[in-house]
Amino acid sequence: QVQLVESGGGLVQTGGSLRLACAGSGSIFGIVAMGWYRQAPGKQRELVASITRSSTTYYADSVKGRFTISRDNAKNTVYLQMNSLKPEDTAVYYCNVKGLDSVVRDYWGQGTQVTVSS
């Protein structure tokens, strides 16, 4: 059974930094991409950053230049380095993995809270 566990969230001041980690376990036939989503109260979940098998990256406009996504294949872990944090970044952050097995299948972690104080 596939499990994704996020860590690294917490409370920081504006301008501070956090590094989120998502450790995966279980079997996925073929990983297409890994990414991070976030959801603030009363708002829809949005894609923050993603990285493909070939290490192509994507970032939402709101985080470009501040966040960096990376992978460590040996540790089966994806990271999100978040710098210059703003109160608008406050949300629950979710890890996502897309696996290809005839169709693309999504796996989700339980989320980790990030709170940025002003």
Side-chain angles (χ1 to χ4, degrees):
Q1 184 175 3
V2 175
Q3 287 186 305
L4 302 176
V5 180
E6 301 100 334
S7 63
L11 174 64
V12 297
Q13 295 181 347
T14 298
S17 298
L18 286 172
R19 188 179 73 160
L20 306 183
C22 173
S25 64
S27 298
I28 302 176
F29 181 75
I31 296 175
V32 176
M34 305 181 74
W36 290 92
Y37 289 71
R38 68 185 181 188
Q39 186 168 26
K43 297 183 179 180
Q44 294 188 1
R45 188 172 300 186
E46 64 174 344
L47 176 63
V48 177
S50 65
I51 183 167
T52 69
R53 190 76 171 181
S54 61
S55 297
T56 300
T57 57
Y58 163 86
Y59 297 96
D61 289 341
S62 59
V63 306
K64 285 181 179 177
R66 300 188 297 119
F67 291 10
T68 303
I69 189 169
S70 62
R71 279 190 289 102
D72 186 331
N73 291 332
K75 296 182 179 180
N76 200 30
T77 300
V78 62
Y79 302 93
L80 185 67
Q81 179 67 47
M82 305 186 295
N83 298 326
S84 302
L85 283 163
K86 306 174 181 179
E88 307 92 90
D89 297 318
T90 296
V92 177
Y93 284 70
Y94 297 90
C95 179
N96 170 265
V97 175
K98 296 184 184 297
L100 179 61
D101 183 15
S102 297
V103 297
V104 175
R105 200 178 307 274
D106 282 292
Y107 302 90
W108 295 91
Q110 292 300 117
T112 184
Q113 177 70 49
V114 171
T115 302
V116 184
S117 65
S118 59

